[in-house]
């Protein structure tokens, strides 16, 4: 997975490659899909949600440019795989999930696997997590209709936000940098994520 899907496609950050080599992805997919855990695609994790494709996890993580001492916010805990990767690359990871059953199950898995610097919170992550702000990095792993102002407000100066923005069915992956001069946005690639549902995201009743 690391050599072919990640390094082979241009992921260069050795810390990211190393973290993805260490995190056992098969523990984050259900027992029934265990033998498909290292495939080059997203997989269902229950509640209509998905674990992202390994390449997308690597790319989004690389865009954060983590050096090791950062406080990171993740929106969309899902399986916990992305949180586990982040936990090896930053000093503290706050991860927010809106589906209570998923948040509880994943929080327990992360704790049992020893990812002690990951803090799982169940709430509507479209408003960020102001109680622990500001963050060095924010990573949103669900597709948003727009960039909520709360995210850039909760970033430190020189902080980075990685977020898929677009329609419900396809998005562009944005890298947003907060500088002393203002906000700089660039698009990295096209992508497809499940919808970010909540106050500053999609309306739940409009989704299906
Ligand atoms: N990072 C995850 C990918 C999860 S898929 C992984 O590595 O497996 C996206 C997740 O975002 C889903 O679990 C979904 O329930 C969650 N989500 C959607 N809207 C949300 C919101 N407003 N706040 C928090 N989580 C949300």
């Amino acid at each position: 997975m690391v050599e072919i899907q990640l390094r082979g496609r241009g992921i260069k950050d050795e810390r990211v490659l190393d973290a993805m080599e260490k995190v056992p992805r098969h523990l984050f997919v259900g027992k029934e899909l265990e033998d498909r855990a290292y495939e080059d695609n997203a997989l269902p994790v229950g509640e209509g949600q998905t674990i992202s494709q390994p390449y997308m996890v690597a790319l989004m993580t690389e865009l954060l440019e983590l050096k090791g001492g950062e406080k990171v916010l993740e929106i969309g805990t899902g399986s916990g795989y992305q949180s586990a990767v982040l936990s090896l690359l930053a000093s503290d990871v706050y991860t927010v999930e809106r589906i209570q059953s998923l948040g509880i199950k994943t929080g327990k898995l992360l704790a049992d696997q020893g990812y002690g610097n990951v803090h799982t919170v169940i709430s509507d992550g479209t408003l960020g997590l102001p109680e622990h702000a500001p963050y060095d990095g924010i990573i949103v792993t669900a597709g948003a209709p727009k960039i909520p102002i709360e995210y850039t407000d909760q970033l430190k100066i020189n902080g980075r936000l990685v977020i898929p923005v677009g329609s419900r069915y396809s998005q562009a992956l944005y890298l947003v940098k907060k500088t002393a001069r203002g906000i700089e946005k660039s698009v990295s690639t096209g992508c497809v994520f499940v919808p970010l549902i909540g106050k500053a995201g999609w309306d739940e009743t409009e989704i299906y």
Side-chain angles (χ1 to χ4, degrees), residues 25 28 43 45-52 57 74-83 95-99 102 121 123-127 140-143 151 193-199 201:
R25 187 169 158 94
F28 294 87
L43 291 167
V45 293
E47 309 277 357
Q49 306 306 323
T50 54
I51 177 171
S52 305
V57 173
E74 177 193 21
I75 308 300
T77 311
S79 69
Y81 178 69
Q82 173 76 72
S83 328
T95 182
V96 183
E97 174 56 53
R98 66 176 279 276
I99 300 176
L102 200 54
V121 178
S123 73
D124 174 8
T126 62
L127 305 176
V140 184
T141 64
Y151 294 164
F193 279 84
V194 296
L196 180 74
I197 299 168
K199 268 203 184 107

Side-chain angles (χ1 to χ4, degrees), residues 89-158:
L89 296 169
S91 68
D92 274 292
V93 179
Y94 290 89
T95 182
V96 183
E97 174 56 53
R98 66 176 279 276
I99 300 176
Q100 190 180 27
S101 55
L102 200 54
I104 291 172
K105 188 172 137 205
T106 301
K108 188 174 176 320
L109 174 67
L110 287 161
D112 288 350
Q113 292 303 319
Y115 298 102
N117 60 344
V118 179
H119 316 283
T120 315
V121 178
I122 294 159
S123 73
D124 174 8
T126 62
L127 305 176
L129 190 64
E131 50 272 46
H132 297 287
Y135 302 97
D136 299 285
I138 301 180
I139 176 170
V140 184
T141 64
K146 60 177 173 53
I147 300 173
I149 186 88
E150 286 81 359
Y151 294 164
T152 46
D153 282 352
Q154 291 172 29
L155 269 186
K156 290 183 191 169
I157 298 288
N158 296 326

Side-chain angles (χ1 to χ4, degrees), residues 147-196:
I147 300 173
I149 186 88
E150 286 81 359
Y151 294 164
T152 46
D153 282 352
Q154 291 172 29
L155 269 186
K156 290 183 191 169
I157 298 288
N158 296 326
R160 291 171 157 238
L161 162 67
V162 178
I163 179 170
V165 184
S167 76
R168 262 169 255 180
Y169 308 105
S170 86
Q171 303 91 29
L173 186 64
Y174 278 80
L175 169 63
V176 182
K177 296 183 200 167
K178 181 168 174 172
T179 73
R181 280 162 284 117
I183 300 292
E184 289 170 12
K185 274 187 273 180
S186 57
V187 172
S188 164
T189 183
C191 53
V192 179
F193 279 84
V194 296
L196 180 74

